[in-house]
Amino acid sequence: MEVHQPIHGTDALRGLIEAVRQGGAYDALPCTLEPAQWAALAFYLQPLLVRTGDHAIRQGERERTLYFVESGTLTVQLDDLGGRRKIAVLAPGTVVGEGAFFSGQPRSATVVATREARLWRLTYAQFQALSRHQPPIALDIAMACAAVVVRRLAQARRMTLRLAP
């Protein structure tokens, strides 16, 4: 994984903004930020390149970073008594890591790039700073992430019902 220093302005986030606007996935981030708000958010984000096969998140880690998916494909894997199971595939325009980010609990799954992915990192410390300096942006991000969680729970329930005898 390659982490780069913060980049400022909407030009840096052009790919992410477009991925969020297109929102083709069931769990797309329903973010309603205006261009000036995206520019302000850029100050708090760091780009991250995750090469195919590399881990963005490891199950059990105690780490509170939220990742916005600009490009690539990520697979969410769960290690349990039954072994390793693929539980989701994430596409551009969504987020990953929201559970540990908001709860402070260890990571509940491993996330691996199945196609090279460009992510944007928002650490919990940066989110706290964003909340102090740009509360409407922080609120929009939090509400959009909550909507993603609800969509994913609904999808998991549908999948469970399909598998039930």
Side-chain angles (χ1 to χ4, degrees):
M1 289 189 298
E2 295 179 24
V3 178
H4 303 281
Q5 294 303 311
I7 300 175
H8 307 293
T10 54
D11 285 344
L13 296 182
R14 186 167 303 172
L16 176 61
I17 295 167
E18 188 59 31
V20 169
R21 281 193 185 134
Q22 287 179 359
Y26 76 91
D27 60 348
L29 189 69
C31 205
T32 60
L33 298 178
E34 298 294 326
Q37 291 175 306
W38 279 108
L41 177 61
F43 177 78
Y44 299 91
L45 300 177
Q46 288 181 304
L48 175 68
L49 181 65
V50 185
R51 296 191 191 328
T52 302
D54 286 352
H55 293 81
I57 293 173
R58 290 183 190 274
Q59 185 173 337
E61 285 184 338
R62 285 200 161 273
E63 191 261 334
R64 294 181 81 171
T65 300
L66 178 68
Y67 297 93
F68 298 86
V69 183
E70 176 180 316
S71 64
T73 307
L74 302 163
T75 299
V76 182
Q77 302 170 347
L78 181 65
D79 291 327
D80 60 16
L81 296 176
R84 176 168 286 165
R85 294 183 293 138
K86 179 171 91 171
I87 58 173
V89 176
L90 303 178
T94 192
V95 292
V96 66
E98 70 285 350
F101 181 78
F102 287 109
S103 73
Q105 297 296 307
R107 297 291 190 179
S108 61
T110 295
V111 178
V112 179
T114 48
R115 196 176 87 223
E116 185 171 275
R118 182 172 171 87
L119 311 177
W120 290 89
R121 296 167 29 115
L122 178 63
T123 66
Y124 191 73
Q126 287 296 90
F127 181 74
Q128 289 176 314
L130 176 67
S131 297
R132 284 190 304 276
H133 302 293
Q134 301 283 344
I137 297 171
L139 178 60
D140 192 84
I141 295 297
M143 294 301 291
C145 287
V148 168
V149 169
V150 169
R151 290 174 181 172
R152 288 178 177 164
L153 287 172
Q155 177 70 6
R157 180 164 166 68
R158 282 191 293 276
M159 295 302 291
T160 301
L161 291 174
R162 284 186 204 146
L163 298 175

